[in-house]
Amino acid sequence: MSKPVYAIPPSFRHDQIDYDSTAKYLKYLESKNATRVLTTAGTSQFNLLSLEEVYILNECLVRNFNYEKILGLPSLSLKHLLREINKLNRLDASNTKLLILFPERYYSDEQIIEFFDEVCKTSNYPVYVHGNPIRKGMGGVYEYSNELLSKLSKLDNFEGMKEEYSSLDLAIKSIQNLDLDIIVAGGSMRRFWTLSPFGATSFLTGVGNFNPTHSEEFYHAFNSGKYDKCIDIIQNIETPLFNTFMKVGWHASMRAALKNEGYIFEDRKPFVTLPSKQIEQVIIALNKII
């Protein structure tokens, strides 16, 4: 198992991106032994950021976190994506990787391989695919197959995937026998526990975003074969928190919790404003795990 990965949400102050609060949060995670952080379309709210602000957020990780950074980029044409990659190349950052979305409809494996081949050749950093479902050109939805991932794994500079499969069965079929770092989405140790025998190597932390100790203890227990400890963390720490946060909405709960801890100052519209009763529920659940 690789170390767990902490997804970083942006903070805003007076509707401007709040660099200082994010830097403070990164230093908190680092002080609690976190060694991998990531920006990504959902948690990092790329849909609410300009390209310049995405760059500022990624630069904040580079400047304020001493360990591994996985820098996400929005869904862009190849031309505009390569432009953004070259901007990040100029940072000459150490211990840094990129997380890339395929921006178009799926027509063939070759279309995606050609895209990532260009990305891998341009990037000075190892490349991960953000494995979200893709609309098919002929209708329906495509999810990254084991065959396509196997082909991508042979590209120089291609290193892994943040998986987002719609079902565990499909994930199990798709990630087996790959020489890749497979980061489990959903912020769930439970999902990692299920997928680890089939090729998952890490997970987005979820609970660890508020108290990294739980994610780091799970990591050490798993790698030491102390599986009873892993199950205890899932059942008595993760599950009760998720029961509350998922009823309210994960991202809304996450941001409310990090506001309470002083790592997010404001949201940006049209992000939801939670009623005070739901915020109270979030804080009660939060206080049980910090």
Side-chain angles (χ1 to χ4, degrees):
M1 177 185 175
S2 304
K3 288 293 291 291
V5 182
Y6 298 77
I8 305 300
S11 175
F12 302 96
R13 190 179 294 263
H14 309 306
D15 211 27
Q16 302 297 315
I17 196 159
D18 177 15
Y19 190 101
D20 291 344
S21 291
T22 302
K24 176 183 173 184
Y25 182 49
L26 291 164
K27 291 303 181 186
Y28 162 72
L29 293 175
E30 196 172 273
S31 74
K32 296 294 184 178
N33 300 314
T35 59
R36 302 180 82 190
V37 294
L38 163 148
T39 57
T40 183
T43 300
S44 304
Q45 298 190 322
F46 290 168
N47 58 315
L48 302 182
L49 303 182
S50 69
L51 274 179
E52 179 183 3
E53 288 174 326
V54 172
Y55 177 83
I56 290 169
L57 180 62
N58 282 329
E59 184 189 32
C60 185
L61 270 64
V62 169
R63 304 298 185 205
N64 293 281
F65 195 77
N66 291 318
Y67 301 100
E68 182 179 320
K69 287 81 61 176
I70 304 176
L71 308 181
L73 286 169
S75 180
L76 297 167
S77 72
L78 183 59
K79 172 185 174 180
H80 295 100
L81 179 63
L82 297 185
R83 182 184 299 170
E84 295 305 308
I85 289 173
N86 278 318
K87 286 169 63 177
L88 294 175
N89 283 343
R90 289 193 287 273
L91 289 174
D92 194 25
S94 62
N95 205 359
T96 296
K97 300 167 184 183
L98 300 185
L99 179 66
I100 303 298
L101 286 155
F102 182 74
E104 246 298 328
R105 291 169 176 80
Y106 173 88
Y107 287 90
S108 69
D109 284 3
E110 288 68 30
Q111 174 197 18
I112 295 179
I113 292 166
E114 288 175 9
F115 175 83
F116 277 98
D117 187 43
E118 288 294 324
V119 168
C120 289
K121 287 176 179 175
T122 299
S123 175
N124 291 349
Y125 314 112
V127 171
Y128 284 61
V129 58
H130 186 158
N132 64 315
I134 305 170
R135 291 172 64 186
K136 287 183 178 179
M138 291 74 73
V141 175
Y142 173 80
E143 301 191 52
Y144 283 82
S145 69
N146 183 269
E147 182 181 3
L148 175 55
L149 290 171
S150 181
K151 293 174 184 175
L152 289 172
S153 72
K154 295 176 174 60
L155 295 177
D156 290 341
N157 212 25
F158 188 90
E159 190 164 299
M161 176 175 77
K162 175 179 176 275
E163 68 84 21
E164 291 196 15
Y165 289 101
S166 58
S167 72
L168 288 172
D169 286 345
L170 186 56
I172 288 168
K173 292 175 185 176
S174 302
I175 66 174
Q176 294 189 54
N177 303 314
L178 297 169
D179 186 20
L180 293 172
D181 183 24
I182 305 293
I183 301 170
V184 170
S188 170
M189 291 177 276
R190 183 184 298 276
R191 186 175 176 93
F192 171 79
W193 179 264
T194 302
L195 295 179
S196 61
F198 304 99
T201 53
S202 185
F203 61 93
L204 291 185
T205 53
V207 168
N209 278 84
F210 320 111
N211 186 348
T213 299
H214 299 306
S215 296
E216 299 301 318
E217 285 185 351
F218 181 93
Y219 161 78
H220 288 295
F222 187 89
N223 280 351
S224 301
K226 298 177 181 177
Y227 300 127
D228 287 347
K229 175 67 173 176
C230 294
I231 293 170
D232 179 65
I233 293 170
I234 290 171
Q235 291 181 342
N236 296 310
I237 302 293
E238 180 178 76
T239 299
L241 185 86
F242 271 42
N243 285 343
T244 297
F245 276 36
M246 296 306 288
K247 288 178 183 176
V248 174
W250 172 258
H251 289 99
S253 296
M254 178 186 191
R255 292 186 66 84
L258 290 176
K259 280 183 192 176
N260 186 73
E261 298 303 294
Y263 300 120
I264 287 178
F265 185 70
E266 292 175 339
D267 298 316
R268 174 176 278 177
K269 294 180 180 179
F271 192 79
V272 64
T273 299
L274 292 179
S276 58
K277 184 176 181 179
Q278 287 188 324
I279 294 173
E280 182 181 350
Q281 292 169 353
V282 166
I283 302 309
I284 289 171
L286 174 70
N287 287 336
K288 292 178 180 178
I289 63 99
I290 59 174

